[in-house]
Amino acid sequence: MQTITSSNQAIALEDKYGAHNYHPLPVVLAKGEGVFLWDVEGKRYYDFLSAYSAVNQGHCHPRIKDALIEQASTLTLTSRAFHNDVLGPFEKYITEYFGFDKVLPMNTGAEGVETAIKIARKWGYEKKGVDENQAKIIVAENNFHGRTTTIISFSNDENARRNFGPYTAGFIKIPYDDVDALKEALSDPDVVAFLVEPIQGEAGVYVPSDDYIKQAKAACEAKNVLLIADEIQTGIARTGSLLAVCGNCTCEKSCEKQATYTKPDMLILGKAISGGFYPVSAVLADDHIMGVIKPGQHGSTFGGNPLGAKVAMAALEVVSDENLAQNARKLGELFRVRMQKLVDRYTIVKLVRGKGLLNAVVVNDTEESSTAWDICVALKDNGLLAKPTHGNIIRFAPPLVMTEEQLHECCDIIEKTIAAFEK
Ligand SMILES: *Cc1c(COP(=O)(O)O)cnc(C)c1O
């Protein structure tokens, strides 16, 4: 392997040999620890993306690393043709952790979404009595659920869709955070599920009305339709509670005791479920739903492998043992207070929104402008890494292990950067 000695050299290699399916900021990272990243030249940055919320526990968390190394030296993959001695304990752990009867483990988030879609359709035919091939799933406008052909079929991001057709049928798109539109769509008896992000992350961190998910669940229940929560980005303490569907509760286990909690019929998790060490995703549901899946009907060579299972258990232990939900809640409030001051003072930023440590600042320019990108490049030069989600929106999502002092230092960096753009 060629040794990388400069960022430019690494970028040139990617440009020449890699498909151009991403447009990264011009920084080449070589090391990570906790809330920090270092580039090839040794410059240190605060990470405000957390690999799209996959490293909520911070980079290279020692407890997760130890679990990975130990399991990697013992047994990594058996396939599901045989049992392995970590899968069962993992399944018990994660179902108790989130309060569901059963889990179906996969690898990437998109696979988790695909899995939930398949289960919902099968449930629709076998339990709800929908006619063959007629099942429909309601989704929200501006959703992001991944990149497979079926998932992009119900995206309304033209860049994600164009020239990838023909598209998978069977999806109804409604406006986000609109219970009336949901109720209207639910009048179709072929609807089997409503697939929704409790907060829309990729779309630009859109936080719906407080009772949106609760009302959506009630509306679905009334029509015998499954509510599927995609918490791949919002879950695992990111939004200041274990799951976004926990509402305002910060206890470290998902529970139905809290009035603010809305239990989805299916919960999709990914990203931080493994703390950034290994791709693990999961669909959780109770027996009357998960029971429709029989041997041979769904699976994945790597899904449920002992390495991923061990890593995921360690990653979830860290979330509860280090009270990451409470920390995300506390720091999130501080962050929005500090950003609101910038919004009040500078015309270049017009809005801050978010929950816990999933936040966005809206830049006062058009979606087509390069201002948000230029601000992110300047933030990088000042030692902080963030990325625009859509044109003029910058998402700020640091690892949840950040301290209050570090957060204030980061807000100082953001303020200094914004101030320099103002003139
Ligand atoms: C990232 C993400 C996905 C897709 O996960 P991948 O691991 O990239 O396939 C799906 N849904 C949401 C809400 C996400 O944020």
Side-chain angles (χ1 to χ4, degrees):
M1 190 187 109
Q2 195 175 328
T3 308
I4 295 295
T5 53
S6 81
S7 291
N8 286 340
Q9 179 200 10
I11 290 170
L13 280 178
E14 284 190 25
D15 187 55
K16 183 160 189 327
Y17 296 104
H20 292 180
N21 57 328
Y22 279 92
H23 180 42
L25 274 192
V27 60
V28 180
L29 301 167
K31 190 182 135 168
E33 190 187 313
V35 297
F36 296 114
L37 288 165
W38 285 263
D39 69 12
V40 173
E41 284 77 16
K43 179 177 160 94
R44 194 188 80 173
Y45 303 91
Y46 277 107
D47 181 7
F48 261 68
L49 185 64
S50 305
Y52 298 105
S53 296
V55 288
N56 290 356
Q57 300 87 339
H59 291 276
C60 300
H61 194 291
R63 265 179 80 181
I64 312 174
K65 181 186 75 179
D66 289 347
L68 177 106
I69 291 172
E70 192 195 305
Q71 192 60 43
S73 327
T74 313
L75 181 69
T76 58
L77 183 64
T78 59
S79 87
R80 298 286 301 274
F82 313 113
H83 297 275
N84 72 69
D85 69 350
V86 189
L87 180 57
F90 165 64
E91 290 174 334
K92 178 174 193 291
Y93 185 82
I94 190 172
T95 51
E96 287 175 1
Y97 199 98
F98 292 103
F100 288 86
D101 293 341
K102 292 276 196 293
V103 62
L104 198 160
M106 295 292 282
N107 313 286
T108 64
E111 284 177 310
V113 174
E114 289 276 349
T115 301
I117 290 169
K118 284 177 70 179
I119 296 170
R121 285 178 169 183
K122 203 155 188 294
W123 172 89
Y125 299 124
E126 296 174 9
K127 298 281 175 109
K128 187 171 173 170
V130 172
D131 287 344
E132 204 180 329
N133 291 326
Q134 297 305 306
K136 290 178 196 147
I137 293 175
I138 302 171
V139 297
E141 279 166 12
N142 300 321
N143 66 74
F144 182 83
H145 296 287
R147 300 297 202 162
T148 65
T149 40
T150 286
I151 293 170
I152 58 106
S153 293
F154 56 82
S155 163
N156 55 318
D157 176 350
E158 266 310 292
N159 203 27
R161 267 173 67 90
R162 201 181 325 116
N163 291 338
F164 294 118
Y167 304 112
T168 306
F171 296 94
I172 303 171
K173 218 176 293 161
I174 59 165
Y176 189 63
D177 195 15
D178 186 338
V179 178
D180 291 334
L182 175 63
K183 284 182 177 159
E184 200 183 313
L186 282 168
S187 64
D188 183 335
D190 291 335
V191 168
V192 297
F194 175 40
L195 168 64
V196 67
E197 300 157 84
I199 292 172
Q200 287 190 327
E202 292 308 300
V205 190
Y206 285 99
V207 183
S209 340
D210 268 352
D211 56 352
Y212 175 53
I213 295 297
K214 196 160 271 311
Q215 286 194 36
K217 164 85 188 224
C220 287
E221 219 166 67
K223 295 288 180 183
N224 194 23
V225 163
L226 305 177
L227 178 77
I228 307 174
D230 179 348
E231 293 238 27
I232 292 167
Q233 186 161 158
T234 54
I236 329 284
R238 169 53 59 188
T239 62
S241 46
L242 180 61
L243 299 168
V245 295
C246 293
N248 292 323
C249 173
T250 54
C251 74
E252 75 281 6
K253 294 255 165 124
S254 177
C255 57
E256 282 159 88
K257 290 192 290 280
Q258 300 297 331
T260 55
Y261 177 69
T262 303
K263 185 175 176 175
D265 298 294
M266 271 193 263
L267 172 68
I268 313 169
L269 298 172
K271 295 202 167 111
I273 198 178
S274 55
F277 278 83
Y278 194 88
V280 177
S281 64
V283 174
L284 291 128
D286 284 341
D287 283 329
H288 65 105
I289 297 164
M290 199 66 97
V292 301
I293 293 290
K294 300 286 186 316
Q297 295 171 351
H298 192 60
S300 152
T301 302
F302 278 82
N305 72 78
L307 185 57
K310 193 53 115 12
V311 163
M313 273 189 282
L316 290 173
E317 272 168 23
V318 167
V319 170
S320 39
D321 289 356
E322 299 187 12
N323 299 316
L324 295 188
Q326 277 105 312
N327 199 47
R329 173 158 307 221
K330 185 182 77 183
L331 295 196
E333 277 157 16
L334 284 173
F335 182 77
R336 286 185 297 280
V337 167
R338 290 278 316 252
M339 290 304 110
Q340 187 57 47
K341 285 187 184 149
L342 301 190
V343 169
D344 294 342
R345 179 155 175 210
Y346 299 107
T347 54
I348 191 137
V349 283
K350 65 174 177 197
L351 184 75
V352 58
R353 62 170 173 245
K355 197 158 183 216
L357 280 175
L358 183 61
N359 293 290
V361 168
V362 181
V363 172
N364 195 8
D365 208 333
T366 60
E367 274 220 42
E368 296 70 37
S369 74
S370 68
T371 311
W373 174 271
D374 296 340
I375 291 174
C376 287
V377 171
L379 284 170
K380 171 188 86 76
D381 294 338
N382 291 333
L384 188 148
L385 296 175
K387 184 122 196 278
T389 54
H390 272 251
N392 59 338
I393 304 170
I394 304 174
R395 170 175 32 202
F396 290 102
L400 311 182
V401 293
M402 185 167 269
T403 65
E404 205 172 311
E405 196 188 350
Q406 288 170 332
L407 184 85
H408 278 299
E409 194 185 328
C410 293
C411 291
D412 293 344
I413 295 173
I414 297 167
E415 177 159 9
K416 178 176 106 183
T417 310
I418 295 291
F421 265 80
E422 190 69 10
K423 35 176 180 35

